[in-house]
Amino acid sequence: MSASEPSDRRTGRPDEIKAVPVRRPGRWIAAAIVLIFAASFARTIITDTGTNKGFQWVWVGHYLFDSRVLHGVWTTIYLTFLSMVIGVVLGIVAAVMRLSPNPILSRASWLYIWFFRGTPLLVQVLFWYNIATLFPTISLGVPFGPAIVHEQANSLITPLAAGLLALGLNEGAYMSEIVRAGIISVDEGQTHAAQSLGMSRLQTMRLIVLPQAMRVIIPPTGNETISMLKNTSLLYVASFTELTYSVTQIYNVNYKVIPLLIVASIWYLVLTSILYVGQYFIERRYGRGFTRSERASMRARWLSFGGGKQRR
Amino acid sequence: MSELMVKAEGVQKRFGRLEVLRGIDLEVRRGEVTCMLGPSGSGKSTFLRCINHLEKINAGRLSVDGELVGYRQSGAKLYELRENEIARKRAEIGMVFQHFNLFPHMTALENVTLAPIRVKGVPRSDARNRGQQLLQRVGLGDKLDTYPVALSGGQQQRVAIARALAMEPKLMLFDEPTSALDPELVGDVLDAMRQLARDGMTMIVVTHEMGFAREVADEAVFMDAGVVVESGPPADVLGSPRHERTRAFLSKVL
């Protein structure tokens, strides 16, 4: 009776549709298979019995907060942070130069990007670390004129300076392409509107174009930061005891290789997860005005898993 | 104070080998509304963009309020203006675009107050008061903190008009302001422009709204293929066109 009645008699309004959802056995089977594999894998990793003694979780726990490991974690954090700051600043400068109408600026930027993207990062690190053999003394001053700073390269280029130069300059080359992609993604009409209001080129870039470009720039920059977190481990060649190098130093002595590699992995995962959270908030900040609402989407997907509700 | 707000003599503009403007002569008097009509590709929008130097002209003379656009004349020589000098002159000319070009990362009120604060140095609170008044005037007093994405096309265009007015321009340029709008939203935008015309604003409007041109314009200009074919009171140009090309165009759009 109620099924054949299209509307509520009292209000006269149509009833909400209450239909039997389509059964989707395929989804349940696929999910079950994945869960079985995942459980089996988890058991292999976690249980320290039978054939799986290699993981030695006791030692993982023992070294997780070891002072040498924590020191390595801290070094990794500040190297990542400083290198990314250098990289982002250089990236913005190089991108703006690349888009400049001045052909010399644009070509200089191209050359920089070409060189630093085209050679391996490890080679660049080694190069900066050994710069003293190429230039025994370094002078800073007026080109072809008097020098203001005149210093032995070995004392000026410390391992930290070499590391930051290598990572920062390399990152700047990649970031500049990311920033450039962001800038050219902003509609030209925005620039015209800003100019017609009497804004200067610099104001237009800073107040109108870059804030909108950020939306495009942030996700790949998050990628770059995560890569950087792990690329800092290349600085072991410059005898930098960041996270990876500090655990290798420990296991070279006690041969607990696997547990210590797990310790390092756990820390890298923790740091990466923190970056995820940061990226979420930055994206939300710069996404203002671009979406009416997309916050509920993740939850909606989970809720609709078993039922007939269509995902959007 | 010159009686003529805009004066164009033989203005030419090329994009590469394509001649878009082939000698435009036009005069717009202070306080008058000029509607520019004509088929697409006839150069109307390009001419509008030349007036605030978004495009550089290749030949001829173009002046706004008695001063050359983009150049300074000294004797027989022309000197290019510096970028900040060009920006200062643009700040006195308001422009409304076909696709609104609101700043999507700012609310309606922020869109309106940005340039007064950053370009003219108006104190923030004064700019906000003035911005609220302007948005109320175009019927959007309840949308101050709304982002453009949540506004209809007609509402966005009215914010764009308020944004241009916030700079207190002496001349307003409208580049097909209603062409991207749904038909039922056109009326509100035209009302806002009508109001502006009644207040005595000098306006140049590129439009396909013949009704608006007939009713509001003091002067109608018909352009085709980069030249002004005919101009005069809208009743004459639209009602009894002298030129064959004008007649052909009007028979298609009316």
Side-chain angles (χ1 to χ4, degrees):
Chain A
M1 180 63 196
S2 69
S4 62
E5 200 64 57
S7 63
D8 190 311
R9 222 170 259 170
R10 278 160 304 176
T11 62
R13 259 180 300 170
D15 276 343
E16 286 266 314
I17 291 178
K18 289 188 196 107
V20 179
V22 174
R23 295 194 188 288
R24 299 173 190 275
R27 277 191 194 177
W28 289 103
I29 294 168
I33 292 173
V34 169
L35 283 178
I36 289 168
F37 273 104
S40 145
F41 185 61
R43 195 186 70 103
T44 314
I45 290 177
I46 293 164
T47 56
D48 218 5
T49 56
T51 54
N52 286 309
K53 283 214 163 67
F55 282 99
Q56 301 173 59
W57 289 98
V58 181
W59 289 107
V60 172
H62 185 266
Y63 280 109
L64 193 56
F65 297 104
D66 187 282
S67 66
R68 286 164 293 177
V69 172
L70 290 182
H71 179 261
V73 170
W74 168 240
T75 309
T76 294
I77 291 174
Y78 81 71
L79 277 177
T80 304
F81 178 77
L82 290 177
S83 310
M84 279 312 290
V85 168
I86 297 172
V88 169
V89 170
L90 276 178
I92 293 174
V93 171
V96 171
M97 277 171 68
R98 186 78 200 281
L99 295 168
S100 152
N102 184 331
I104 300 294
L105 291 189
S106 140
R107 273 170 212 176
S109 170
W110 183 88
L111 197 68
Y112 160 68
I113 296 166
W114 172 78
F115 183 80
F116 283 95
R117 288 205 306 178
T119 51
L121 181 52
L122 183 57
V123 172
Q124 290 174 31
V125 173
L126 286 168
F127 178 81
W128 286 109
Y129 190 54
N130 293 305
I131 191 89
T133 49
L134 188 59
F135 304 107
T137 60
I138 290 175
S139 303
L140 293 175
V142 186
F144 306 109
I148 295 159
V149 180
H150 192 76
E151 202 53 80
Q152 291 295 311
N154 268 330
S155 57
L156 199 65
I157 308 288
T158 59
L160 177 65
L164 289 179
L165 273 171
L167 294 177
L169 282 169
N170 184 265
E171 189 53 40
Y174 284 93
M175 278 305 302
S176 79
E177 287 293 278
I178 292 173
V179 173
R180 189 168 69 96
I183 291 174
I184 57 183
S185 78
V186 177
D187 182 49
E188 237 191 331
Q190 293 289 311
T191 306
H192 293 155
Q195 286 181 341
S196 77
L197 289 166
M199 291 165 79
S200 68
R201 215 181 264 273
L202 193 70
Q203 280 179 322
T204 305
M205 189 50 91
R206 200 164 56 83
L207 300 171
I208 305 301
V209 176
L210 278 181
Q212 293 182 60
M214 286 303 271
R215 223 167 52 90
V216 175
I217 292 172
I218 287 164
T221 305
N223 244 353
E224 290 296 307
T225 313
I226 289 168
S227 292
M228 179 62 84
L229 195 65
K230 292 166 290 182
N231 281 341
T232 53
S233 63
L234 288 177
L235 292 195
Y236 82 93
V237 297
S239 54
F240 236 100
T241 43
E242 44 61 61
L243 183 51
T244 304
Y245 194 42
S246 56
V247 301
T248 34
Q249 279 180 327
I250 301 173
Y251 72 59
N252 279 340
V253 176
N254 66 8
Y255 300 109
K256 304 282 181 210
V257 178
I258 298 294
L260 278 157
L261 288 179
I262 291 173
V263 165
S265 305
I266 288 174
W267 276 113
Y268 280 119
L269 285 171
V270 167
L271 296 179
T272 308
S273 309
I274 294 170
L275 290 175
Y276 272 58
V277 177
Q279 182 175 346
Y280 169 79
F281 282 104
I282 297 174
E283 270 184 31
R284 211 174 60 170
R285 164 72 179 75
Y286 284 102
R288 280 190 323 197
F290 284 90
T291 51
R292 280 177 226 208
S293 152
E294 64 181 14
R295 215 165 300 165
S297 65
M298 207 53 204
R299 201 162 154 254
R301 267 179 77 159
W302 280 102
L303 289 178
S304 73
F305 176 78
K309 254 189 233 165
Q310 206 54 53
R311 284 189 207 163
R312 294 200 312 127
Chain B
M1 285 259 276
S2 147
E3 169 68 10
L4 283 183
M5 183 56 86
V6 177
K7 184 176 166 72
E9 294 167 287
V11 168
Q12 292 182 28
K13 172 69 190 171
R14 287 187 304 273
F15 290 112
R17 296 174 64 183
L18 181 70
E19 287 188 53
V20 182
L21 301 179
R22 299 186 301 163
I24 302 284
D25 297 302
L26 189 74
E27 291 184 349
V28 176
R29 274 172 294 279
R30 189 178 295 277
E32 276 192 1
V33 177
T34 301
C35 278
M36 302 189 68
L37 317 165
S40 46
S42 58
K44 311 175 300 272
S45 293
T46 304
F47 179 66
L48 214 57
R49 294 156 59 81
C50 289
I51 294 175
N52 68 355
H53 211 242
L54 284 178
E55 304 287 356
K56 249 184 193 165
I57 62 174
N58 297 110
R61 284 284 190 277
L62 180 58
S63 56
V64 172
D65 206 8
E67 290 179 27
L68 280 183
V69 174
Y71 303 94
R72 182 164 41 81
Q73 189 159 17
S74 177
K77 261 190 182 164
L78 284 183
Y79 296 89
E80 273 190 356
L81 290 184
R82 269 180 236 282
E83 211 161 311
N84 57 354
E85 293 171 309
I86 293 171
R88 211 175 303 140
K89 290 196 172 182
R90 281 191 188 130
E92 300 177 337
I93 303 173
M95 185 154 190
V96 173
F97 300 85
Q98 181 177 2
H99 296 290
F100 331 132
N101 298 352
L102 288 184
F103 306 132
H105 57 304
M106 297 180 184
T107 63
L109 186 60
E110 286 167 351
N111 263 280
V112 175
T113 56
L114 179 74
I117 294 170
R118 298 290 185 157
V119 177
K120 281 179 125 182
V122 175
R124 203 166 280 267
S125 58
D126 294 1
R128 287 184 68 89
N129 286 336
R130 173 106 175 101
Q132 283 176 5
Q133 281 171 18
L134 283 167
L135 284 171
Q136 265 154 19
R137 199 165 120 194
V138 294
L140 294 172
D142 56 338
K143 300 285 185 190
L144 301 178
D145 298 320
T146 308
Y147 284 97
V149 69
L151 297 172
S152 74
Q155 291 170 333
Q156 289 191 47
Q157 193 60 300
R158 283 181 282 153
V159 174
I161 292 173
R163 175 175 72 177
L165 290 178
M167 291 299 282
E168 296 172 326
K170 54 186 178 187
L171 168 67
M172 283 282 284
L173 309 174
F174 292 85
D175 188 5
E176 302 201 25
T178 58
S179 299
L181 296 178
D182 290 339
E184 81 270 21
L185 302 176
V186 169
D188 290 335
V189 172
L190 292 183
D191 282 343
M193 290 166 62
R194 220 170 264 136
Q195 173 69 41
L196 202 54
R198 267 201 297 273
D199 293 347
M201 176 65 74
T202 313
M203 296 161 63
I204 303 180
V205 185
V206 171
T207 187
H208 294 294
E209 296 289 333
M210 297 303 156
F212 177 82
R214 202 186 289 264
E215 178 198 345
V216 179
D218 298 293
E219 178 103 344
V221 176
F222 178 74
M223 274 182 71
D224 191 18
V227 293
V228 173
V229 176
E230 66 179 295
S231 62
D236 296 353
V237 175
L238 295 173
S240 48
R242 280 166 296 157
H243 223 280
E244 180 52 39
R245 273 190 285 177
T246 319
R247 271 197 289 275
F249 175 72
L250 290 175
S251 72
K252 273 184 226 153
V253 295
L254 285 180

